[in-house]
Amino acid sequence: MSLKPSATIRYTAMRLGVFVGCLVLVALLVRLGLVPAGLGDANFAWVVLLALVISAPLSFVLLRKQRDEMSEQIAGRVADAKSKLAANRSQEDAADDAARA
């Protein structure tokens, strides 16, 4: 058994890292006055929303390889689960046929 971390966990951690980086950058730009600070008390919500809007396309482009690895890993697990389910169904069918005969 390998100690390689799950592709899903790695992708999620990297996606969170991109978001946190964008959040820090946007907060810094707001603090410096280069980006509007929002309306009234909505400053924090504005910064988070802007960071989300910026991090989504960045993650889409920058994390393509990790997303593909995660997709392959999930597809493999689904295929294994389907084959196990098919094997269980055939066992149940054989047992049912034997009981009826």
Side-chain angles (χ1 to χ4, degrees):
M1 179 173 204
S2 69
L3 296 176
K4 184 178 176 183
S6 169
T8 305
I9 293 172
R10 190 172 54 250
Y11 172 75
T12 304
M14 292 177 83
R15 179 92 192 254
L16 186 62
V18 170
F19 170 71
V20 169
C22 287
L23 184 65
V24 168
L25 178 68
V26 169
L28 182 65
L29 291 175
V30 167
R31 184 78 173 158
L32 294 175
L34 299 173
V35 174
L39 300 173
D41 294 333
N43 186 17
F44 181 72
W46 166 254
V47 170
V48 170
L49 182 63
L50 193 55
L52 279 171
V53 168
I54 293 171
S55 70
L58 282 176
S59 295
F60 185 75
V61 173
L62 297 175
L63 302 179
R64 181 177 308 250
K65 179 183 171 189
Q66 289 77 16
R67 190 173 53 255
D68 290 343
E69 288 176 9
M70 179 181 68
S71 175
E72 289 174 10
Q73 188 179 52
I74 291 171
R77 288 182 182 170
V78 168
D80 290 344
K82 284 184 179 181
S83 65
K84 287 179 184 177
L85 183 59
N88 286 343
R89 283 184 184 159
S90 65
Q91 286 177 355
E92 290 175 4
D93 290 343
D96 186 45
D97 291 343
R100 291 177 192 257

